[in-house]
Amino acid sequence: MLETEPDLSVFSQIDFTNGAVAAVSGGSDSTALLLLIKDHLDRSAPATKLLAVTIDHNLRPGSAAEAQAVARLCAARGIAHRIMVWSGRKPSTGLPAAAREARYRLLAEAAQAEGIGLILTGHTADDQAETVLMRHARQEGPREAGRGLAGMAPATLYDWRIWIARPLLGTRRAALREVLRRANVGWAEDPTNDDEAFERPRIRAALADDNGAQRVADAVALAARAAVEREQLGHRAAALIRGFASRPADGLIRLDPGFATAGDEPAAVYALRILLATVGGVAFLPDQARSEALLDRLRAAPFCATLSRTVVDARRAGIFLRRETRNLPPAAPAVDDALWDGRRRITLGDEPGAFLIAPLGAARAAKREIAEDGTPPSLVRAALAAEPALWRSSGLLGESLSPVQDSPALPRMAACPVVAPFARFLPSFDLAPAGTVAALIGAPLLPATPFSGHTAG
């Protein structure tokens, strides 16, 4: 059931202990969100830090004035406010996606500057319906449809650090505009929302007919069902990973041969896709059909194949996954907080000097002593050869970044593994498999979810 009045109880389910950033564009949805949050906090936790942030995408002549209008509204109501500007050249294609990426990056920067780990956005049931219908139109097959049809998650972990919560996904835009009318607060209309050169405005226009309300309700209901299925699939995939996967060495994952015959093919394919993307450092899950074909081959004779930059080496000793040695990053200056090869987040700390990061390489990996644990030494060395090593111009600082991070001489340096397909955006639907893979590869633990009484995974 969609809310004709905003459900204020949803704010009571959010943990505001460490404050919140409200993303406020000046449009009706985000402006109403700000007023509702302010009212909730004034009644329940008036000392809570609340920061409104407006992103000026610098794409229209009136965007700066709209940001200033939000600033005046916040000043009148005693709300801290900050304007962040997306500067620099804008892409000639893919502008909506680029603007979205810039928006979340700037919101996260503002939140981190204030020590806040929670961002709230004003996405509504209308936005959810539009998202589901767009993904439905793009879907290439029924087996892949479920993930996309879940729509936007109630919360998404950004950059494995900051939660983005969407408390109004069950509320129609019309209800939020009524909140603003009663408060005698106006809002800005973004003309790009009506520009049917873009996909979302076309879907929005199609939902404006007499049957629009029912179509929105149907799409949101479809999203709810798909979300439940996606979460259940994720829990089953996580159970398979816990039961059959191990990490015999950095950069090497072993699957017990029983993984391929465990009896839950959809979960096994999903688990395999996440592991392949993680080992290969790829931001997107590999193709569903190719992953299904790969799982079928894992049930047969030993073989070796590559998918999503990951070598799959099936032997009697197990099924081994490692990063292929092609297209590894060349030696380059180490950059703090950068993702190396999509697989490691680099932390330089306060260490002085210029460092280079490059793969360890086969020659140096061949000199490593390999523990006798049943894992073929050749596979361990092949995996280590693709792992990052730290260099100065004078030579190698360490055989890999793993020993360097434990070195008393360089105590703050590290190259932490990341769960590649979820490193940037982790929907709350996928917490179970993401958390399980993080534990498997030694990635940092997930931060607690923004919902009171719940923990990540």
Side-chain angles (χ1 to χ4, degrees), residues 68-326:
Q68 289 298 329
V70 177
R72 290 191 294 272
L73 173 67
C74 291
R77 294 176 177 263
I79 301 171
H81 179 255
R82 184 175 177 186
I83 298 173
M84 305 283 285
V85 179
W86 182 26
S87 56
R89 295 183 60 183
K90 307 301 188 290
S92 56
T93 59
L95 185 60
R100 173 178 175 267
E101 173 64 29
R103 181 163 58 252
Y104 285 125
R105 174 176 57 80
L106 292 170
L107 286 168
E109 287 179 8
Q112 285 186 290
E114 296 292 329
I116 295 173
L118 174 63
I119 297 168
L120 290 97
T121 70
H123 291 104
T124 66
D126 301 73
D127 296 310
Q128 183 74 301
E130 293 159 10
T131 298
V132 170
L133 293 175
M134 286 191 297
R135 293 180 180 177
H136 187 272
R138 296 187 208 131
Q139 73 183 49
E140 297 180 358
R143 291 173 299 186
E144 181 64 16
R147 282 180 53 78
L149 295 184
M152 291 180 284
T156 296
L157 185 62
Y158 176 79
D159 222 17
W160 211 260
R161 303 174 190 181
I162 295 178
W163 283 103
I164 302 167
R166 305 177 180 94
L168 301 178
L169 284 179
T171 303
R172 292 296 307 271
R173 177 170 293 118
L176 297 177
R177 292 187 169 183
E178 186 56 33
V179 167
L180 296 179
R181 292 188 186 99
R182 290 199 296 261
N184 197 28
V185 172
W187 63 86
E189 295 284 2
D190 184 346
T192 59
N193 288 335
D194 298 320
D195 185 353
E196 295 190 19
F198 298 109
E199 182 182 21
R200 188 174 289 273
R202 291 197 298 272
I203 295 292
R204 187 168 297 169
L207 290 173
D209 60 19
D210 293 340
N211 196 38
Q214 186 59 52
R215 293 182 66 195
V216 169
D218 291 344
V220 171
L222 173 60
R225 293 193 299 272
V228 171
E229 294 173 1
R230 180 165 164 177
E231 288 191 21
Q232 291 174 343
L233 180 65
H235 279 284
R236 285 153 40 209
L240 287 176
I241 294 168
R242 286 193 299 270
F244 292 98
S246 60
R247 179 172 61 110
D250 284 346
L252 186 65
I253 299 297
R254 178 189 178 274
L255 294 174
D256 187 89
F259 171 85
T261 56
D264 187 348
E265 180 166 335
V269 170
Y270 186 36
L272 183 61
R273 294 173 75 196
I274 295 173
L275 290 172
L276 288 169
T278 298
V279 173
V282 178
F284 299 98
L285 298 182
D287 177 74
Q288 173 83 13
R290 294 183 68 187
S291 302
E292 290 174 352
L294 179 60
L295 183 67
D296 283 339
R297 294 188 66 187
L298 292 177
R299 301 188 182 107
F303 75 100
C304 190
T306 302
L307 182 58
S308 288
R309 307 199 312 185
T310 297
V311 176
V312 181
D313 194 333
R315 306 184 176 196
R316 290 182 179 178
I319 301 162
F320 295 91
L321 311 180
R322 62 175 175 83
R323 170 71 161 94
E324 67 172 333
T325 54
R326 294 187 306 163

